[in-house]
């Protein structure tokens, strides 16, 4: 990947699968896309060199675990979000959100007690639990081996698509972005991003766009609060508002009328009834870039299913590959979430550059399951996702993560957090604002 210097540090993000290499490549793709857009907008004669350091990447891919709020460690997984033995194998549940926990318990017909859940699951097959919980709107996935996943029709649909899907939606004229200065070089300065995402990949992408200068407004439904610790981790550089899309349609249209990018992180089709499909958004805001993220992809029998990184690891065989004969395992980080987040940010940056050169509203789409396939393919890791070779590679010792963490005061209290790994010559080194409590801001542009 011409113009990127990789600093290799042994001992970070260790797993049986090439997690470190995936993480490095995804961040490199984002840093390169940022440097290219920055050079274009600033009129630089050359694209600045990007730098991707394994130490910084490892800290960022574990950002939700390194966060401290007034010295308190975050809560990352609820008691009912875990692997459970079934009559014929294992099942993975996700119940961090209260409404998902309620649906899981209702589907199983048990009280909110891990022992009761364990007892009922031990008597049922994993596939039965998967289908029963899904039908109730909950989240549970049967553990599958790589071979079992490869034989699944959803895996076949995922494999047909590229890692990053790109499309041109119409013939909208090219936008003329205002020129920017070179110190610091902020590729997304002056651009407005509507952030309609939730844990974790989507907020990582929009957190990165905020680092790069974008005005990011996260908008959530008032009846679906975000998990406070997760919101703190991914809220750097953003403002946070709530808006009911049914009663607040006029307000949303006012936001859309001035947006350059709309990022959605809900399951495919879930927002279409609000007029938020890429085509509908482009019709009302010609020239917009629409970025979509999902767990399983926007196609195939699982297209409408909810999902999270841990569930995708369980379904796609990763938990088997990282586990043992006694129990399933997990990647050393939620690498599908974080990696997809940086790829999503890179795709948005490239779409903005393409729109400015050639016109047309643009769409980009990624799925955690497709990133999982990229990880398990285990080939091409001397190159980034774009397939271009790296130059100027170096190595350095690894002395732990403390050098990649910072502290700041915020409306949430004193925060320790991981700095962004996206780095290039002249670029930003940190966010310009700390996170705010969920729903603090008005639903309007600053």
């Amino acid at each position: 990947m011409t113009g990127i210097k990789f600093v290799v540090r042994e001992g970070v993000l260790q797993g049986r699968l090439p997690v470190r290499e995936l993480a490095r490549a995804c961040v490199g793709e984002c840093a390169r896309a940022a440097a290219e857009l920055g050079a274009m907008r600033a009129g630089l004669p050359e694209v600045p060199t990007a730098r991707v350091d394994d130490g910084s990447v490892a800290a960022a891919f574990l950002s939700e675990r390194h966060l401290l709020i007034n010295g308190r460690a975050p809560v990352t997984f609820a008691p009912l979000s875990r692997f459970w033995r079934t009559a014929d194998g294992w099942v993975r549940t996700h119940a961090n959100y209260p409404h998902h926990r309620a649906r899981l318990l209702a589907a199983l017909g048990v009280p909110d007690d891990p022992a009761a859940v364990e007892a009922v699951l031990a008597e049922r097959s994993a596939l039965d639990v998967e289908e029963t919980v899904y039908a109730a709107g909950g989240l549970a996935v049967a553990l599958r081996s790589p071979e079992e996943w490869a034989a699944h029709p959803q895996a076949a649909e995922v494999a047909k698509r590229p890692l990053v899907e790109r499309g041109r939606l119409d013939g909208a004229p090219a936008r003329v972005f205002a020129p920017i200065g070179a110190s610091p070089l902020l590729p997304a300065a002056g651009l407005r991003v509507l952030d309609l995402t939730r844990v974790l990949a989507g907020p990582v992408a929009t957190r990165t766009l905020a680092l790069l200068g974008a005005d990011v407004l996260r908008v959530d439904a008032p009846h679906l609060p975000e998990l406070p610790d997760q919101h703190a981790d991914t809220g750097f550089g953003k403002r946070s508002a709530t808006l009911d899309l049914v009663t607040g349609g006029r307000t949303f249209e006012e936001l859309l009328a001035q947006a350059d990018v709309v990022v959605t992180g809900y399951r495919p089709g879930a927002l279409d009834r609000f007029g938020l499909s890429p085509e509908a958004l482009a019709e009302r805001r010609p020239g917009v870039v629409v970025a979509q993220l999902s767990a399983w992809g926007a196609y195939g029998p699982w297209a409408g299913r909810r999902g999270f990184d841990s569930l995708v690891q369980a379904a796609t065989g990763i938990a088997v590959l990282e586990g043992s004969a006694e129990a399933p395992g997990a990647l050393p980080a939620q690498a599908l979430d974080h990696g997809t987040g940086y790829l999503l940010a890179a795709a948005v940056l490239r779409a903005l550059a393409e729109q400015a050169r050639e016109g047309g509203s643009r769409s980009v789409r990624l799925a955690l399951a497709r990133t999982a396939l990229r990880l398990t393919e285990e080939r091409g890791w001397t190159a980034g996702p774009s397939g271009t070779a790296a130059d100027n590679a170096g190595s350095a010792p690894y002395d732990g993560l403390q050098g990649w963490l910072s502290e700041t005061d915020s409306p949430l209290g004193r925060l320790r957090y991981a700095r962004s790994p996206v780095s290039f010559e002249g670029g930003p080194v940190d966010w310009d604002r700390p996170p705010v409590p969920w729903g603090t801001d008005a639903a309007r542009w600053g």
Side-chain angles (χ1 to χ4, degrees):
M1 200 178 291
T2 304
I4 295 187
K5 179 179 180 181
F6 290 109
V7 180
V8 177
R9 298 180 190 270
E10 299 296 335
V12 304
L13 297 177
Q14 292 181 309
R16 294 175 183 171
L17 290 167
V19 181
R20 180 185 61 173
E21 290 79 4
L22 170 76
R24 181 193 298 152
C26 292
V27 171
E29 186 79 353
C30 187
R32 180 61 176 172
E36 289 173 349
L37 180 61
M40 183 185 81
R41 293 190 64 193
L44 301 180
E46 296 183 354
V47 175
T49 298
R51 175 185 171 90
V52 179
D53 192 306
D54 281 353
S56 180
V57 171
F61 269 58
L62 293 163
S63 63
E64 69 276 7
R65 303 183 199 178
H66 294 306
L67 179 73
L68 293 180
I69 304 174
N70 291 327
R72 177 185 62 80
V75 176
T76 54
F77 283 100
L80 299 185
S81 296
R82 48 168 275 198
F83 276 109
W84 308 83
R85 280 194 179 276
T86 63
D88 60 352
W90 295 85
V91 69
R92 174 88 196 202
T93 57
H94 196 286
N96 285 1
Y97 287 103
H99 58 293
H100 290 157
R101 181 175 67 250
R103 292 168 186 172
L104 171 67
L105 296 171
L108 299 178
V110 295
D112 189 358
D113 176 13
V117 174
E118 184 175 36
V120 74
L121 291 180
E123 298 177 352
R124 301 177 65 168
S125 75
L127 289 177
D128 175 52
V129 172
E130 178 180 276
E131 291 304 319
T132 300
V133 173
Y134 166 70
L139 292 135
V141 168
L143 178 71
R144 289 172 172 83
S145 68
E147 295 76 19
E148 289 170 331
W149 176 245
H152 195 282
Q154 187 63 29
E157 290 295 328
V158 168
K160 293 177 184 177
R161 272 75 181 185
L163 182 62
V164 180
E165 297 180 69
R166 297 180 173 89
R168 179 168 176 160
L169 298 169
D170 57 27
R175 291 192 185 174
V176 179
F177 295 132
I180 59 174
S183 181
L185 185 60
L186 297 173
L191 303 182
R192 288 170 168 163
V193 177
L194 262 180
D195 179 1
L196 309 179
T197 69
R198 292 173 76 79
V199 177
L200 178 62
V204 166
T206 52
R207 180 181 69 183
T208 303
L209 296 174
L211 172 83
L212 299 172
D215 180 2
V216 178
L217 177 63
R218 172 162 168 170
V219 177
D220 286 279
H223 65 284
L224 290 176
E226 183 57 283
L227 301 173
D229 292 346
Q230 191 67 65
H231 181 74
D233 174 51
T234 59
F236 282 85
K238 308 178 191 180
R239 288 176 295 117
S240 171
T242 60
L243 181 66
D244 187 321
L245 293 180
V246 175
T247 60
R250 182 174 180 177
T251 299
F252 181 83
E253 293 305 314
E254 292 172 353
L255 294 173
L256 176 62
Q258 299 182 64
D260 300 288
V261 179
V262 178
V263 187
T264 68
Y266 293 78
R267 56 196 171 91
L271 299 178
D272 289 3
R273 69 184 187 277
F274 300 111
L276 299 183
S277 69
E279 295 78 11
L281 290 168
E283 183 177 351
R284 305 199 307 280
R285 177 58 167 157
V288 72
V289 172
V290 182
Q292 295 178 298
L293 171 79
S294 65
W296 309 107
Y299 27 72
W302 281 17
R305 295 200 175 193
R306 300 172 179 86
F308 292 92
D309 183 308
S310 59
L311 301 181
V312 177
Q313 288 190 43
T316 60
I318 290 174
V320 170
L321 294 172
E322 292 287 345
S324 66
E326 288 73 36
L331 297 174
Q334 293 190 73
L336 305 181
D337 263 334
H338 286 275
T340 306
Y342 290 108
L343 290 178
L344 184 64
V348 168
L349 296 168
R350 294 195 186 284
L352 286 166
E354 291 167 358
Q355 206 286 331
R357 290 192 300 264
E358 305 166 11
S361 304
R362 302 280 168 164
S363 67
V364 298
R365 187 163 60 193
L366 292 92
L368 301 187
R370 185 60 183 84
T371 305
L373 176 61
R374 183 69 176 86
L375 174 62
T376 55
E377 284 177 332
E378 296 189 72
R379 62 175 181 266
W381 290 114
T382 57
S386 62
T388 51
D391 70 350
N392 220 8
S395 61
Y398 175 60
D399 299 321
L401 296 177
Q402 289 302 320
W404 317 109
L405 304 178
S406 290
E407 292 192 7
T408 187
D409 291 318
S410 80
L412 300 170
R414 185 70 178 173
L415 302 181
R416 187 193 73 176
Y417 64 98
R419 297 195 299 271
S420 175
V422 176
S423 175
F424 53 93
E425 289 179 338
V429 297
D430 210 342
W431 290 276
D432 65 356
R433 67 174 78 187
V436 297
W438 183 82
T440 292
D441 301 291
R444 62 171 180 262
W445 296 114

